[in-house]
Amino acid sequence: MRVLLRNPRREVEVAGRRSVNALLRELGLPRESHLVIRNGTLVPGDADLADDDEVEIRPVISGGV
Amino acid sequence: MVASASKCRTCRAPAIIDLPRHNAHFCAEHFLQLCRRQVTKAVEQFEMLNADDKVLVAVSGGKDSLAVWDMLVELGYHADGLYIGLGIGEYSDTSADYARAFARDRGLHLVEVSLRDEYDYDVPTASRATRRVPCSACGISKRHLFDSAALKGGYTVLVTGHNLDDEAAVLFGNTLRWDVEYLARQLPVLPARDGFPKKVKPLIRLTERETAAWCIVRGIDYLVEECPMAVGNKHLAYKAALNAIEHESPGSKANFYLGFLDNMAPLLAGRSAADEHALNACSSCGAPTTGELCAFCRLVERAAAHEPVPVELLLRKGRSR
Ligand code: SF4
Ligand SMILES: [Zn+2]
Ligand SMILES: [Zn+2]
């Protein structure tokens, strides 16, 4: 599957079906600070991601004060 | 393709989000309902807004400020937006586009103020000229312009998009230093005083994961990229630390900050020295200040006299935070 990461914007290819939580763990991204969008729709941690999915992992932390 | 196994706590439809701190999953509709309820609860508990308030929302083009503007309009408040052009290179150009597009698409009114056009400086230049970190020069500018725009426009309340993570991180920092003065002032509502509008933070019961999800579900296009000046600041380190705790023990952030408001803030009431200071009018702009010239006018004086500093120069110099 194609995975879009942000800040900075970049793409990685990940092969093989897995859950959202598993993908975040593999990429070392905390669940509390990221949302995952599958084919344009928000999905929860136990959702399945398949090879033909377009996935975006969006960080949600803002830095200003 | 297997859909997600988890179901909405309210209606059993497939869930779109898991919220460990509520030990539940929600579908889009019931997630939005939860957010509305949290905002309404904060607004009512702290008497933030009245139905007849004329509200000005400080918008940056990011998720929190657009989410709070969207929610308040949806809840029926009369709310305009205020965008401050900070002059932080491409980040500012892009963030302005998002704020304008949001207002335009919804027929909302956006007030704009540009530091460069109206005061002859920008945040990178002010940072260099005053030898302050960018966020400090930026904060002084924003606070002053929020106040003055609200008063000039006849608004009764100024709203900012600070969320639970923001407030918990600030509280964490204030607590690490036992800064009683700041702790005593860390309230979600600051009442109007001479020359200052009432200021409120309706998102204090929502995490930033939730405000971002609100935007995604509502189809709000916001600037995901961060301000380049934020990289490596303490605020981000505190948020990461709190999220590590939250991961082990969901609900910790809410307990920390909302528990502070319930249990600690009352004990600190009246302990802020800032409340005691008599304020006089700034000799240049008339804003309330303890000195002769207010912090903003002192900043403008130095920054406007300095040759413009492009943001790239500041970034290349490295960060001393
Ligand atoms: S990160 Fe700092 S400089 Fe950038 S907008 Fe926020 S307060 Fe201003
Ligand atoms: Zn539901
Ligand atoms: Zn002044």
Side-chain angles (χ1 to χ4, degrees):
Chain A
M1 68 196 79
R2 241 199 0 247
V3 181
L4 171 65
L5 300 163
R6 311 290 295 261
N7 297 349
R9 202 184 177 97
R10 62 212 185 276
E11 273 187 12
V12 295
E13 247 326 295
V14 179
R17 187 185 198 92
R18 67 221 331 114
S19 73
V20 163
N21 281 339
L23 177 66
L24 288 174
R25 251 195 320 272
E26 276 172 57
L27 296 172
L29 302 172
R31 184 166 78 150
E32 195 44 36
S33 50
H34 293 85
L35 288 169
V36 176
I37 301 168
R38 179 185 67 199
N39 305 324
T41 308
L42 205 55
V43 285
D46 64 354
D48 252 329
L49 303 172
D51 273 338
D52 54 354
D53 281 336
E54 298 251 353
V55 177
E56 178 188 340
I57 301 182
R58 195 176 284 195
V60 300
I61 305 294
S62 318
V65 274
Chain B
M1 170 86 249
V2 191
S4 73
S6 51
K7 305 258 180 282
C8 172
R9 173 158 89 185
T10 312
C11 72
R12 312 306 300 163
I16 56 138
I17 191 166
D18 45 306
L19 299 180
R21 74 187 182 108
H22 294 289
N23 193 19
H25 289 71
F26 292 96
C27 71
E29 182 192 337
H30 292 113
F31 170 70
L32 296 180
Q33 182 186 67
L34 176 123
C35 292
R36 281 184 207 107
R37 285 185 178 161
Q38 294 293 336
V39 167
T40 304
K41 189 167 174 185
V43 166
E44 285 172 0
Q45 184 184 353
F46 297 100
E47 296 174 13
M48 292 184 179
L49 301 169
N50 291 315
D52 54 358
D53 267 320
K54 193 176 167 204
V55 179
L56 185 63
V57 183
V59 293
S60 66
K63 64 186 192 313
D64 301 306
S65 54
L66 293 182
V68 74
W69 195 6
D70 185 46
M71 288 182 201
L72 294 182
V73 169
E74 208 206 16
L75 289 169
Y77 292 98
H78 171 107
D80 292 346
L82 167 65
Y83 177 82
I84 313 267
L86 301 167
I88 307 176
E90 202 189 316
Y91 166 76
S92 286
D93 299 340
T94 322
S95 62
D97 291 342
Y98 281 96
R100 287 177 195 139
F102 178 89
R104 187 188 349 98
D105 294 348
R106 290 161 184 76
L108 299 172
H109 179 57
L110 183 68
V111 179
E112 292 197 45
V113 179
S114 154
L115 292 185
R116 189 40 84 193
D117 295 350
E118 287 163 58
Y119 297 93
D120 233 13
Y121 77 98
D122 47 50
V123 164
T125 307
S127 166
R128 176 61 61 84
T130 59
R131 297 171 187 280
R132 287 171 180 275
V133 294
C135 293
S136 157
C138 184
I140 291 175
S141 307
K142 285 194 290 199
R143 273 193 297 278
H144 179 88
L145 295 169
F146 289 170
D147 291 348
S148 67
L151 295 174
K152 238 187 274 170
Y155 294 94
T156 51
V157 189
L158 177 83
V159 163
T160 55
H162 294 95
N163 57 46
L164 176 59
D165 293 75
D166 294 325
E167 294 304 303
V170 171
L171 177 61
F172 195 60
N174 290 341
T175 304
L176 285 177
R177 294 188 308 278
W178 291 117
D179 190 327
V180 174
E181 175 63 31
Y182 276 55
L183 286 167
R185 277 191 275 156
Q186 207 194 328
L187 299 170
V189 174
L190 295 178
R193 291 171 74 184
D194 274 348
F196 292 120
K198 179 178 179 182
K199 285 177 221 170
V200 307
K201 300 173 178 173
L203 297 185
I204 53 159
R205 302 186 61 90
L206 292 176
T207 64
E208 47 194 347
R209 190 164 168 271
E210 291 153 10
T211 62
W214 172 279
C215 289
I216 294 167
V217 172
R218 292 273 295 164
I220 297 171
D221 236 349
Y222 65 90
L223 181 59
V224 176
E225 277 65 39
E226 265 303 298
C227 171
M229 305 281 129
V231 182
N233 74 19
K234 278 206 194 98
H235 197 65
L236 285 174
Y238 295 157
K239 282 185 173 180
L242 288 167
N243 275 339
I245 298 169
E246 181 78 18
H247 186 76
E248 296 304 320
S249 175
S252 294
K253 284 186 294 196
N255 288 339
F256 181 52
Y257 178 63
L258 300 176
F260 164 81
L261 292 182
D262 285 344
N263 302 318
M264 199 63 209
L267 302 181
L268 292 169
R271 295 291 297 269
S272 162
D275 290 343
E276 315 283 292
H277 291 313
L279 298 176
N280 37 278
C282 167
S283 60
S284 169
C285 74
T289 173
T290 48
E292 165 70 17
L293 213 55
C294 75
F296 176 73
C297 288
R298 275 180 281 146
L299 180 84
V300 175
E301 216 173 60
R302 299 176 66 181
H306 199 283
E307 67 181 84
V309 176
V311 60
E312 292 77 19
L313 212 67
L314 233 60
L315 292 172
R316 225 177 300 139
K317 215 189 113 210
R319 299 169 187 99
S320 47
R321 267 179 285 205

